[in-house]
Amino acid sequence: MVEGATPRLKTGALRRPPRHLLPSGIPAALRVGGLLPNPLVSTGDGPAVRLDLILAGRTSVLTARRPDAELAGFCRRHGLVFVRISSTTPGAGTPGRPGANPDAGWIDVRLADDGRAAGLRALAANPALTVIVRPDRVVAAVEARYRLPRLPWLVPATAVPGCPATAQPPARPHPAGPLPAGR
């Protein structure tokens, strides 16, 4: 059976070499260049769906901390989807109310018990971590100690012509909603 982890990627010409391998407080499952798992998650009282359905192929910021104005503004300026992860394990991470609230500026998701989410469970257990995830679910940047992550690309999303200043709404407004009835 094929394992979902990616091999360690070598530093290239466009990526500055890291100062140290894994900064303190960042679990190995969330290393830059690693593949984020695609576990079952739920928003609100809806059924469990894969994280890919929630992210909808968009660059995202994942964290377990209570959203603040600075992080929400960072996501808005760079056109990033802001997702707050919480765990179903009592006492792990920060308590939250899972669901998508378009006025809030972020999506609250809760991890299901499917065992494939080691990296996301580590993220939910440590609200000081913030992770930027590319559309292909590769970890692009990780920051600890409640700091804003640095974008790994040089051109901000808002500086690119034709790129929106805010994140686009998902293709389906309610990703965990019911499927259309078949004929």
Side-chain angles (χ1 to χ4, degrees):
M1 181 157 288
V2 178
E3 187 178 333
T6 58
R8 184 101 177 137
L9 302 176
K10 294 183 179 183
T11 301
L14 299 178
R15 171 121 169 82
R16 288 181 231 142
R19 291 185 198 127
H20 36 301
L21 291 176
L22 288 177
S24 63
I26 298 176
L30 293 175
R31 72 181 187 276
V32 172
L35 183 63
L36 196 72
N38 188 22
L40 289 171
V41 297
S42 61
T43 59
D45 294 331
V49 297
R50 293 284 173 198
L51 182 63
D52 272 350
L53 191 61
I54 303 294
L55 300 181
R58 300 172 289 173
T59 303
S60 308
V61 171
L62 305 177
T63 188
R65 74 184 194 208
R66 186 155 192 82
D68 56 34
E70 186 180 20
L71 185 56
F74 173 81
C75 293
R76 199 172 22 263
R77 275 191 316 277
H78 297 289
L80 305 172
V81 176
F82 187 9
V83 179
R84 182 177 177 208
I85 303 283
S86 63
S87 178
T88 57
T89 307
T94 56
R97 46 160 203 27
N101 182 354
D103 297 328
W106 69 85
I107 302 169
D108 277 317
V109 298
R110 185 178 58 244
L111 297 172
D113 291 324
D114 73 343
R116 294 181 53 196
L120 291 178
R121 291 213 185 280
L123 179 63
N126 186 352
L129 291 175
T130 305
V131 178
I132 295 179
V133 180
R134 296 183 340 200
D136 57 358
R137 283 195 351 264
V138 171
V139 176
V142 181
E143 194 61 59
R145 295 185 284 272
Y146 294 96
R147 293 184 290 191
L148 290 178
R150 289 183 44 194
L151 289 174
W153 43 86
L154 299 177
V155 181
T158 56
V160 177
C163 194
T166 58
Q168 292 293 321
R172 292 179 53 205
H174 302 287
L179 296 173
R183 293 181 192 214

